[in-house]
Amino acid sequence: MKDKGAINLILLQAQSITKNFGTKKLFSNVSFEIQDNSRIGLVGRNGVGKSTLLKIISDQESYNDGNIALKKDTNIGYLAQDSGLNSDNEIFSEMEKVFDYLKEEEKKMHALEEKLANPETDDYDAILKQYDQLQNTFRQENGYGYQSEIRSVLKGFGFDEDVWHAKISTLSGGERSRLAMAKMLLEHHDILLLDEPTNHLDITTVEWLESYLKGYRGALVIVSHDQYFLDKVVTEIVEINQHSSTHYSGNYSFYLEEKKKNQEVAWKHYEEQQAEIKKTEEYIQKNIVRASTTKMAQSRRKKLEHMDVLDRPGSDQGSVHFSFDIDKESGNDVLLVKDAAIGYDDQIMSEPINLDVKKGERVGIIGPNGIGKSTFLKSILGKIPMIKGTAQFGANVQVGYYDQNLKNLDPKKDVLHEIWDLYPRLDEQVIRNKLGAFLFSGDDVLKPVAGLSGGEKARLTLTKLSMENDNFLLMDEPTNHLDIDSKEVLEDALKSFAGTVLFVSHDRYLLNTLADRIVDIGTSGSTIYLGDYDYYLEKTTVTPVETEEKTSNVSEKKVQYQQSKEQQKQERKLRRQVEDLEKQLGELEDKNTAIQTEMTKDENLTSYSKLADLQKELDENKTQQDKIEEEWTEKSIELEDFNND
């Protein structure tokens, strides 16, 4: 962390960068700068060239116009698939290779130590000075702690100790990608370029990565469709489109708010200019033929010809626009799941799961990978039988299902007939218009389904779902494969949907903006949190301080309980003592009364010796009575103090 007064160094400046692919312009006039502490999120619609821009910055791709100035000796890291991994190496030793230079420094230090240990060494002072300098550098570069850092990063990416000596060749593609990112983080580049770093990571790993990147010593430039991740990590946004770039000094949510304000201003200026153009054109048309006004009309036409006409705001590219409608409303009770156990072949992954979904609710389901969240949705639909328990739909419930694997498409059809065959009575233009709302236009509708990208298949699946008009949507990872713009349109559509939504997602932004309840599924069943994802985090995240406080509170309560038990015991003892003393006093009082009665009898009044004996007994009783009364007073005061505490 830098001092408040420290000057931020500019590592890279990009000015008016333009990139063409053949005759097609990808983007132009892109300008920004990267400082040594930058946390930049690079955003823009799919296909605008965000990944290409990262390659240009890392000098892996050329550009057609503009200028990039890089500070001397600045080291740039670009995350690519399997970047620099040797398949024959073991996982831990591959990570250690990052620090080979430290091992060399350590060897030099040991050699100098041997010289210093030799009493006959010449130029001792010079060697000692060299050793001190080398040791200081070694310490600053984390020479004594790099292995601990390796262990921390590997565990953060889900590589536990039992796999550290496994060969990289045994890893899956996703695991290799994670390991490549781990290695790149350990390399400590001055500028780190990350392209979709959260792909294939579960929520736990993404949250660890967020925490790690916040403390990263270099600059970061990140392309990501994960809005929540961008909110947590970046502090500035650079939005690029075909014609320009815009800089925003804040995280992703700040960017959305500012962009909305900018668009409102842009629309106002655009509409004002359009009104002025229309008014000017009408004036020219009316006055150009009149001799008295023709010069004025010609002047205005000349002015109009030289006017810098504003582009229509937001017209740079098409955007998805759709909504979900319903044919009829369901009853208030939509879904009731009781004591469900889910799994395959009698192997239970989670139980018991209990869920009561009411009309209009948006319920988000989370849980670790492999726990059976997708299986749960399929079990509700009857696609996979529940091992135990029941799932029952309410009255008039019409269910629509979004499968994250996008299997609900026919690969033998083209885009147009995937929809038209379901609604053959609709006019072709109606189908084309519907597909156009999901960015399938012109010849795009004739593409074979088998050749579509993941994003295109997702949009086509959403097209089908939006036409079913169901009142209960079961959605499995609905934002997978979608770019940020499409995700935001989907979020808005689901928020304004008149029906009910039950969805599985690892997209924390969607969970935060849409869910009014979170269902956390684990091996011991379901736990329900009555709020969004941030509320769930608040209820489940325990900081070390909180742990200490809880431990302290438990200990304190335990002590208080023990103290209370001891006090109660002492109080009972005192009460018994007071009662016993009162009993003794009562018995003595009775005895004294009996003695005094004896002393008044005629036979005793005339017997001096008898009266003397009775008086002696009476005096002894009174002495004992005084002593007991004194003890009774002390104990009574103690008892009163207990009652007042």
Side-chain angles (χ1 to χ4, degrees), residues 541-557:
T541 304
V542 180
T543 65
V545 173
E546 287 173 338
T547 304
E548 187 178 328
E549 285 177 354
K550 284 187 177 181
T551 305
S552 175
N553 288 340
V554 169
S555 300
E556 190 176 330
K557 285 177 181 176

Side-chain angles (χ1 to χ4, degrees), residues 45-265:
R45 290 202 173 111
N46 269 10
V48 79
K50 301 184 294 294
S51 296
T52 301
L53 184 56
L54 292 187
K55 290 177 182 176
I56 289 171
I57 295 170
S58 61
D59 202 26
Q60 296 185 30
E61 186 92 39
S62 63
Y63 53 99
N64 300 94
D65 200 7
N67 181 59
I68 292 179
L70 184 67
K71 182 178 174 289
K72 189 179 179 182
D73 298 327
T74 298
N75 184 274
I76 298 178
Y78 174 65
L79 181 64
Q81 291 282 335
D82 300 344
S83 173
L85 296 178
N86 187 332
S87 297
D88 294 328
N89 284 341
E90 293 181 354
I91 289 172
F92 198 90
S93 61
E94 179 71 12
M95 299 300 103
E96 278 189 308
K97 284 191 170 297
V98 172
F99 302 98
D100 279 349
Y101 72 101
L102 285 176
K103 291 181 180 179
E104 288 301 316
E105 287 183 7
E106 193 171 17
K107 285 180 184 177
K108 291 177 184 177
M109 284 170 56
H110 289 325
L112 292 174
E113 285 169 359
E114 287 179 8
K115 288 183 180 180
L116 291 172
N118 186 350
E120 298 178 1
T121 298
D122 296 331
D123 57 5
Y124 182 89
D125 290 340
I127 294 173
L128 181 61
K129 184 178 180 181
Q130 185 184 354
Y131 178 79
D132 286 342
Q133 289 174 343
L134 189 59
Q135 187 182 45
N136 189 45
T137 302
F138 187 74
R139 185 181 293 109
Q140 286 177 347
E141 292 176 345
N142 197 30
Y144 295 108
Y146 72 85
Q147 289 215 341
S148 175
E149 186 180 1
I150 292 172
R151 288 192 288 269
S152 174
V153 170
L154 284 176
K155 286 181 178 178
F157 277 105
F159 296 101
D160 292 327
E161 289 185 46
D162 57 347
V163 299
W164 288 354
H165 296 294
K167 286 200 171 184
I168 292 170
S169 57
T170 64
L171 300 179
S172 67
E175 288 170 332
R176 289 168 72 96
S177 296
R178 282 190 281 127
L179 193 62
M181 196 191 309
K183 185 177 180 182
M184 180 152 286
L185 293 180
L186 290 169
E187 288 169 348
H188 297 300
H189 297 281
D190 300 318
I191 299 175
L192 185 58
L193 310 176
L194 300 174
D195 194 354
E196 299 293 357
T198 63
N199 278 5
H200 313 298
L201 302 183
D202 59 22
I203 288 180
T204 303
T205 307
V206 171
E207 289 175 345
W208 175 88
L209 182 60
E210 285 170 356
S211 177
Y212 186 91
L213 291 178
K214 284 178 187 177
Y216 189 75
R217 293 200 297 262
L220 300 170
V221 182
I222 300 170
V223 171
S224 179
H225 66 275
D226 187 333
Q227 305 108 303
Y228 198 96
F229 178 78
L230 290 174
D231 263 352
K232 292 290 185 182
V233 177
V234 307
T235 56
E236 50 188 313
I237 295 286
V238 175
E239 180 188 44
I240 64 172
N241 56 45
Q242 284 183 321
H243 306 299
S244 64
S245 62
T246 310
H247 181 269
Y248 297 85
S249 298
N251 65 6
Y252 187 79
S253 292
F254 174 85
Y255 149 75
L256 285 183
E257 292 172 8
E258 289 300 303
K259 183 182 178 181
K260 185 178 179 182
K261 292 176 188 175
N262 291 348
Q263 284 181 326
E264 288 171 355
V265 171

Side-chain angles (χ1 to χ4, degrees), residues 392-403:
Q392 184 176 354
F393 293 112
N396 298 321
V397 172
Q398 297 173 322
V399 184
Y401 174 58
Y402 180 95
D403 178 7

Side-chain angles (χ1 to χ4, degrees), residues 487-617:
K487 283 169 65 174
E488 286 167 358
V489 173
L490 175 61
E491 287 156 9
D492 289 338
L494 291 174
K495 278 193 279 189
S496 59
F497 177 50
T500 309
V501 185
L502 177 65
F503 66 103
V504 169
S505 185
H506 68 277
D507 185 334
R508 296 163 300 163
Y509 195 87
L510 178 68
L511 289 163
N512 230 24
T513 55
L514 184 64
D516 45 43
R517 261 201 296 166
I518 298 289
V519 180
D520 186 8
I521 294 181
T523 52
S524 56
S526 58
T527 307
I528 294 175
Y529 298 87
L530 303 177
D532 59 15
Y533 185 75
D534 280 347
Y535 176 83
Y536 158 79
L537 276 185
E538 182 186 326
K539 293 297 179 185
T540 56
T541 304
V542 180
T543 65
V545 173
E546 287 173 338
T547 304
E548 187 178 328
E549 285 177 354
K550 284 187 177 181
T551 305
S552 175
N553 288 340
V554 169
S555 300
E556 190 176 330
K557 285 177 181 176
K558 191 174 180 181
V559 169
Q560 288 174 347
Y561 175 70
Q562 295 293 348
Q563 288 176 342
S564 176
K565 280 184 70 178
E566 189 61 37
Q567 286 175 340
Q568 291 171 6
K569 183 180 177 183
Q570 187 67 20
E571 183 184 356
R572 287 195 297 271
K573 182 180 177 183
L574 278 172
R575 192 175 299 281
R576 284 196 302 271
Q577 288 176 334
V578 169
E579 289 172 354
D580 185 53
L581 291 170
E582 287 175 346
K583 184 180 178 182
Q584 291 180 45
L585 286 173
E587 289 173 351
L588 284 172
E589 191 63 40
D590 290 343
K591 285 182 180 179
N592 289 342
T593 301
I595 290 170
Q596 288 169 342
T597 302
E598 282 293 315
M599 291 175 74
T600 58
K601 288 183 178 179
D602 292 341
E603 61 270 23
N604 293 326
L605 285 173
T606 56
S607 172
Y608 174 78
S609 59
K610 188 63 175 175
L611 283 174
D613 290 340
L614 290 171
Q615 186 62 49
K616 184 182 178 184
E617 188 178 352

